[in-house]
Amino acid sequence: MKLLILLSATEVATEAHAHATKEESHAVAEVAHDSTEAQTSTAVVKDSLATPVVAHETHVATEAHAEAGEHKVDAHAEHEAHLKHVLHQLQNKPWAALYVACIFFMLVSLGVLAFYAIQQVAQSGWSPVLFRVMQGITAYLPVGSVIFFVILILCGLHFNHLFVWLGEGVTEKGHENYDAIIAGKSGYLNFPFWIIRAAIFLIGWNLYRHYSRKNCLAQDEANDDSFYKKNFKMSAGFLVFFIVTESIMSWDWIMSVDPHWFSTLFGWYVFASFLVSGVTTICLITVYLKSKGYLEHVNTSHVHDLAKFMFGFSVFWTYLWFSQFMLIWYANIPEEVTYFVTRIQQYNLPFFGAVVMNFLFPVLILINTDFKRISWILVMAGVVILLGHYIDFFNMIMPGTVGDQWFIGVSEIASVLFFLGLFIYVVFTALTKVPLLAKRNPFIEESKHFHY
Amino acid sequence: MSNKVIYAIYNDDDILMDAVKKTRAAHHHIEDVFTPFPVHGLDKAMGLAPTRLAICSFLYGLCGLSFGTWMMNYIMIQDWPQDIGGKPSFSYIENMPSFVPIMFEETVFFAAHLMVITFYMRSRLWPFKEAENPDVRTTDDHFLMEVAVNNNEEELVSFFEKTGAVEVKVIEKH
């Protein structure tokens, strides 16, 4: 893409490494970027010390350097470094596949939880008949959180190389893996602080889920609305906690796989992605339960409302996707734009395919009012949206962990199927535990007769 | 041939809805209903066809998108492809992100304005148009149903008096 043309001024100015072949030059440059994994020649490390930002960029435009070739590095050492780098990427593959699937399903249930809290606080009159469905879906949150937390700990114990900044010696001056940029961020990106933050976020979300469901059940048996009021206040508090922690979560768990890169609207972008997935999941499960005759009071108007949210949040996601992309593309600042250069070059189909699946398709199909009431259209649109947002998370995690070694193969599909199965098992088990209609919610009568 | 119509006047929208349903059930042809505010479900009760304004709007939006795309492509890529701040103007797709805000706004602009104009034309609204109130009270607190008379004047008058009308008038229309 022509993004590169704009970059080339910086690149040509870079002190280039000697390159035997184009392929090897590519490897060396990437090693400079991935300095944790770099067991590489000192020339490269020196480079990343002197001009860390530029060194980070080099892998974008290796071709530009290939011709420049100024100092000679032992071809053998370079080849070894290349192999090491690719090996790390390949070793990351199953881990990254597991990580993407795990965080995706956990965030889907978190998205449902956020949507549920919004419905509580907004005192919406249409959704109370769906509260038990939403609570059933959020039952996955505790399970998903535990597995996710274990994976984070395994990352910290160096079972994998998912997070470059968790690598050994990255912050140690003089160490061959030393990375000045990461070292500068180590006040925030260090394992103890990171894992404590993760624990606080996960515990906070799960506490809300637990007590909100408990109060909702207690409200069924109560004589007044005190539990409802408690839930209202708790939901308002949760939403404040949620939006702060969600933003930090997106830096910690997603943005930090590319620790040299940053974007201010990233938290919103991640939020939009899993919120629309959450609403879609509510819609799919509602349509399924309705088709089995378990949801007496849910009518096509409720489903229509969910479909409108799917439509609206899909557009919202696209708005943020484009805002992030266009601002960075337009300004074309080297330290920011590499993020998209790698994605466009190495992830072209998933990168733009996600926009087609998450925007073009749902917008064209869900714009029609009649279509928003037809089950098979909703199921079709919902499946495309969910797959599209899986690919969205794939696009966020994979380039920083496996680079150009990506493939949607056995490890990726197996991870998705594993978590999908677990999700379905946990959610539908939870749905059997309590009646599917809340009894004494103040808005339940309105909701039963909701008609749009 | 005389052109007589009945004006049945009501002062409550619930009574009006009931009257509309009864009139439809008795197969009297409702010419029009005048209300001071939108009565939810009245169009369904009268059996009016749904509006196609949204479909128009969608098509206008596509026109706007096409216009925006054509305009930017002609100006920025075909006519004078300058290098402005290093933006690639070799083909439309390469510089597309910077055109998206314009494409979006053109879409919304066309969809909104042409739809509104379509609405005005279809509902015959324009400045200096003569108002068509059959009774001035219908803009304030009364509801009026207009029904054609076909030699069944007495039957209709007694029918509407039973539907809760506060006033039933037979009018000669010109």
Side-chain angles (χ1 to χ4, degrees):
Chain A
M1 292 241 102
K2 285 298 175 292
L3 292 165
L4 292 180
I5 292 181
L6 309 176
L7 274 173
S8 52
T10 344
E11 289 142 13
V12 172
T14 319
E15 270 213 85
H17 327 297
H19 305 293
T21 65
K22 271 196 175 183
E23 192 198 358
E24 281 187 343
S25 73
H26 187 66
V28 172
E30 282 200 354
V31 168
H33 159 60
D34 237 348
S35 50
T36 342
E37 298 168 16
Q39 303 282 313
T40 179
S41 60
T42 44
V44 175
V45 174
K46 245 187 261 160
D47 231 27
S48 73
L49 262 172
T51 49
V53 175
V54 179
H56 176 62
E57 302 320 314
T58 49
H59 74 287
V60 175
T62 36
E63 282 84 350
H65 307 215
E67 284 82 28
E70 282 176 21
H71 50 237
K72 290 248 182 285
V73 178
D74 181 12
H76 177 69
E78 218 173 74
H79 186 62
E80 287 292 302
H82 168 65
L83 291 181
K84 189 99 184 166
H85 177 63
V86 174
L87 176 68
H88 280 291
Q89 290 189 328
L90 290 174
Q91 283 173 332
N92 263 344
K93 254 199 81 179
W95 281 100
L98 187 76
Y99 187 81
V100 172
C102 184
I103 196 171
F104 178 70
F105 281 97
M106 186 192 68
L107 291 184
V108 164
S109 66
L110 182 66
V112 174
L113 191 67
F115 188 73
Y116 166 80
I118 291 168
Q119 297 299 312
Q120 295 266 7
V121 171
Q123 304 188 329
S124 73
W126 68 277
S127 54
V129 291
L130 298 173
F131 279 176
R132 291 289 154 82
V133 177
M134 298 184 204
Q135 286 166 358
I137 300 170
T138 57
Y140 178 76
L141 188 63
V143 180
S145 306
V146 169
I147 300 174
F148 184 72
F149 194 71
V150 168
I151 293 180
L152 291 188
I153 289 176
L154 293 181
C155 293
L157 296 177
H158 306 296
F159 278 78
N160 57 54
H161 311 280
L162 287 184
F163 296 94
V164 173
W165 58 269
L166 276 172
E168 256 167 288
V170 178
T171 57
E172 239 172 85
K173 244 191 184 123
H175 195 283
E176 59 177 349
N177 285 340
Y178 179 70
D179 183 318
I181 292 179
I182 294 177
K185 295 182 179 184
S186 62
Y188 182 77
L189 285 181
N190 61 76
F191 179 68
F193 190 26
W194 180 72
I195 203 75
I196 289 168
R197 282 199 303 268
I200 292 171
F201 302 164
L202 292 171
I203 289 169
W205 302 335
N206 278 294
L207 281 179
Y208 169 70
R209 193 209 86 84
H210 178 77
Y211 285 107
S212 175
R213 182 172 179 276
K214 204 175 161 191
N215 284 341
C216 188
L217 293 176
Q219 175 70 23
D220 273 6
E221 313 299 330
N223 301 316
D224 59 5
D225 287 342
S226 61
F227 287 106
Y228 170 80
K229 286 176 186 160
K230 252 185 216 169
N231 254 2
F232 177 88
K233 285 178 194 159
M234 200 164 57
S235 302
F238 166 73
L239 285 173
V240 175
F241 176 76
F242 169 77
I243 204 59
V244 174
T245 53
E246 189 278 331
S247 189
I248 301 174
M249 166 278 277
S250 71
W251 312 333
D252 281 7
W253 302 342
I254 300 174
M255 200 156 78
S256 80
V257 297
D258 293 290
H260 283 194
W261 180 80
F262 46 84
S263 162
T264 31
L265 63 67
F266 196 74
W268 277 109
Y269 170 67
V270 173
F271 172 64
S273 188
F274 70 77
L275 185 67
V276 66
S277 309
V279 173
T280 305
T281 308
I282 299 173
C283 185
L284 290 181
I285 290 181
T286 304
V287 167
Y288 176 76
L289 290 174
K290 178 71 188 169
S291 76
K292 294 286 166 191
Y294 290 120
L295 294 172
E296 190 194 337
H297 296 285
V298 173
N299 56 42
T300 50
S301 293
H302 295 103
V303 175
H304 188 151
D305 264 27
L306 286 171
K308 281 190 279 187
F309 275 113
M310 283 160 65
F311 175 88
F313 286 139
S314 287
V315 176
F316 179 56
W317 174 86
T318 315
Y319 170 63
L320 293 174
W321 180 92
F322 183 72
S323 300
Q324 180 168 272
F325 173 70
M326 196 261 246
L327 285 182
I328 290 175
W329 173 87
Y330 210 109
N332 202 27
I333 300 169
E335 62 251 45
E336 288 178 358
V337 85
T338 46
Y339 185 81
F340 288 113
V341 172
T342 45
R343 276 158 184 78
I344 289 171
Q345 287 190 333
Q346 298 169 2
Y347 290 73
N348 200 287
L349 183 64
F351 185 66
F352 292 111
V355 183
V356 173
M357 292 171 83
N358 296 337
F359 173 65
L360 217 52
F361 183 75
V363 157
L364 290 179
I365 202 111
L366 291 179
I367 199 164
N368 188 314
T369 300
D370 299 326
F371 283 6
K372 284 194 273 260
R373 291 166 184 263
I374 302 172
S375 298
W376 70 267
I377 286 188
L378 289 177
V379 170
M380 184 179 66
V383 168
V384 171
I385 290 175
L386 285 178
L387 285 175
H389 284 281
Y390 169 76
I391 290 177
D392 186 31
F393 276 89
F394 186 87
N395 288 337
M396 291 189 233
I397 303 286
M398 289 296 174
T401 51
V402 302
D404 59 357
Q405 302 298 318
W406 73 275
F407 189 70
I408 298 189
V410 174
S411 56
E412 285 76 12
I413 294 171
S415 305
V416 170
L417 291 182
F418 170 76
F419 283 105
L420 179 67
L422 186 68
F423 186 84
I424 290 173
Y425 175 74
V426 172
V427 168
F428 282 86
T429 305
L431 286 170
T432 63
K433 301 292 183 198
V434 289
L436 287 178
L437 186 69
K439 266 185 237 145
R440 286 197 72 264
N441 186 296
F443 293 97
I444 198 77
E445 280 306 314
E446 183 184 340
S447 180
K448 280 183 193 170
H449 302 109
F450 172 68
H451 180 76
Y452 169 71
Chain B
M1 188 184 148
S2 73
N3 239 347
K4 281 185 176 173
V5 292
I6 290 219
Y7 284 167
I9 300 177
Y10 303 87
N11 58 7
D12 186 282
D13 49 338
D14 287 335
I15 299 169
L16 173 77
M17 284 289 281
D18 284 342
V20 166
K21 282 172 194 159
K22 278 182 199 159
T23 313
R24 290 256 300 164
H27 298 293
H28 297 305
H29 180 68
I30 302 173
E31 296 279 340
D32 220 338
V33 176
F34 296 83
T35 65
F37 53 79
V39 177
H40 188 74
L42 185 61
D43 52 338
K44 281 222 175 80
M46 287 172 70
L48 298 180
T51 173
R52 291 166 295 183
L53 209 50
I55 299 168
C56 289
S57 181
F58 183 76
L59 296 176
Y60 298 148
L62 291 184
C63 292
L65 182 63
S66 310
F67 175 73
T69 309
W70 170 81
M71 181 178 71
M72 300 312 293
N73 182 55
Y74 178 70
I75 296 172
M76 302 302 291
I77 309 296
Q78 303 299 331
D79 190 38
W80 196 351
Q82 286 187 100
D83 182 339
I84 302 169
K87 282 279 166 280
S89 50
F90 305 101
S91 72
Y92 190 78
I93 194 72
E94 276 169 320
N95 209 3
M96 200 194 75
S98 51
F99 302 146
V100 165
I102 293 140
M103 289 154 70
F104 172 78
E105 295 294 347
E106 289 285 6
T107 308
V108 175
F109 181 85
F110 274 58
H113 289 81
L114 292 181
M115 176 179 72
V116 168
I117 292 168
T118 306
F119 168 74
Y120 286 154
M121 287 167 68
R122 290 291 291 155
S123 51
R124 296 166 200 285
L125 275 177
W126 58 85
F128 312 114
K129 179 198 162 80
E130 209 174 315
E132 293 170 351
N133 303 48
D135 188 313
V136 287
R137 291 170 298 172
T138 59
T139 63
D140 183 17
D141 60 347
H142 280 66
F143 304 80
L144 186 149
M145 177 162 37
E146 184 182 319
V147 176
V149 176
N150 303 305
N151 304 320
N152 53 353
E153 191 181 317
E154 275 159 46
E155 183 207 336
L156 273 183
V157 171
S158 64
F159 174 82
F160 282 112
E161 273 166 355
K162 270 182 250 165
T163 57
V166 290
E167 204 177 311
V168 180
K169 290 194 285 194
V170 183
I171 301 282
E172 186 88 26
K173 253 201 165 178
H174 302 294

